[in-house]
Amino acid sequence: MNEEKDLTEECTAGQAPEEAENTAEPETTPEQEPETEAEAEQPEIRQQVNDTPDPEELLAAEKDKYLRLYAEYDNYRKRTAKEKTETYSHATAAAVETLLPALDSFSLALEAACTDEAYKTGMEKIYTQLTEALKKLGVREMEALGTPFDPNFHNAIKQSADTEYEEGTVCQVFQKGYLIGDRVIRHAMVAVAQ
């Protein structure tokens, strides 16, 4: 403080008293002067007034929050719908897989020799009903005999020296394979020509 007074006195030593007063006290600008006494007493109010966000910025922030929430909900809805469909497909596949041995037994029973025509006709009707029920569930039998061997659909259990079929072709089917849509429920057990 004392140094400031000394500097002020040195600067104003050669000036008239009126000029010295003007240089000693800096003029206040209208920006620096408090507008009201309440603002002068509470400078934090002025700070709060200046810190209030623009309504357009608030609206943009709320709109952004809404759009993000909507997108998150839409993704959740799609994900749960997909999971529901997959769960139904998995449950159907599991149920059909447990029924396939019975279907195989019916197929073998139909191939067996039988003297009672009424019994054979009844077995054929039951087998037809089972296959129709599986078709309604979207289950279909794989075409294996005479097709090229594909490890995605076929399970080769032996190779056969069969001259009727080309090399790498399925020449015999031991157990039928089944699909639901493009999904394999059971691979076909086959023999492959070499």
Side-chain angles (χ1 to χ4, degrees):
M1 268 319 253
N2 291 336
E3 292 177 7
E4 288 179 359
K5 286 182 182 179
D6 293 339
L7 289 175
T8 308
E9 289 174 5
E10 288 176 10
C11 292
T12 57
Q15 298 176 352
E18 293 175 2
E19 292 176 0
E21 287 178 10
N22 290 343
T23 56
E25 296 178 16
E27 292 183 21
T28 56
T29 60
E31 294 172 2
Q32 293 174 343
E33 291 180 4
E35 295 176 10
T36 64
E37 289 180 20
E39 288 182 4
E41 293 173 5
Q42 299 177 353
E44 63 273 356
I45 292 177
R46 178 183 284 178
Q47 185 68 22
Q48 288 176 357
V49 170
N50 292 339
D51 287 346
T52 56
D54 185 28
E56 290 179 10
E57 291 175 4
L58 283 174
L59 181 63
E62 290 299 319
K63 183 177 180 182
D64 182 57
K65 189 192 299 185
Y66 168 76
L67 289 175
R68 289 177 188 273
L69 184 65
Y70 179 77
E72 187 177 326
Y73 173 73
D74 193 44
N75 290 338
Y76 168 77
R77 186 180 51 81
K78 289 176 184 176
R79 185 175 58 248
T80 54
K82 182 180 176 186
E83 287 173 357
K84 182 179 177 183
T85 304
E86 288 175 355
T87 301
Y88 175 77
S89 176
H90 290 300
T92 304
V96 168
E97 193 172 4
T98 58
L99 293 175
L100 289 180
L103 190 65
D104 291 338
S105 297
F106 265 106
S107 179
L108 290 172
L110 289 175
E111 292 173 6
C114 181
T115 56
D116 188 2
E117 272 309 304
Y119 177 77
K120 187 160 181 117
T121 305
M123 291 291 281
E124 286 174 354
K125 287 182 179 180
I126 293 170
Y127 182 77
T128 304
Q129 285 178 337
L130 278 172
T131 55
E132 290 300 316
L134 291 176
K135 284 180 185 176
K136 287 180 183 177
L137 292 173
V139 177
R140 60 188 168 89
E141 185 181 322
M142 278 185 212
E143 295 296 325
L145 191 63
T147 61
F149 174 74
D150 185 354
N152 295 322
F153 299 107
H154 307 130
N155 184 10
I157 57 172
K158 78 175 198 174
Q159 289 186 335
S160 178
D162 197 331
T163 56
E164 287 183 38
Y165 296 97
E166 295 179 18
E167 185 178 338
T169 305
V170 174
C171 60
Q172 190 176 3
V173 177
F174 297 106
Q175 189 179 50
K176 295 177 183 178
Y178 291 91
L179 301 163
I180 286 184
D182 294 333
R183 181 174 173 217
V184 176
I185 298 174
R186 183 174 76 182
H187 292 81
M189 286 183 157
V190 297
V192 182
Q194 51 171 320

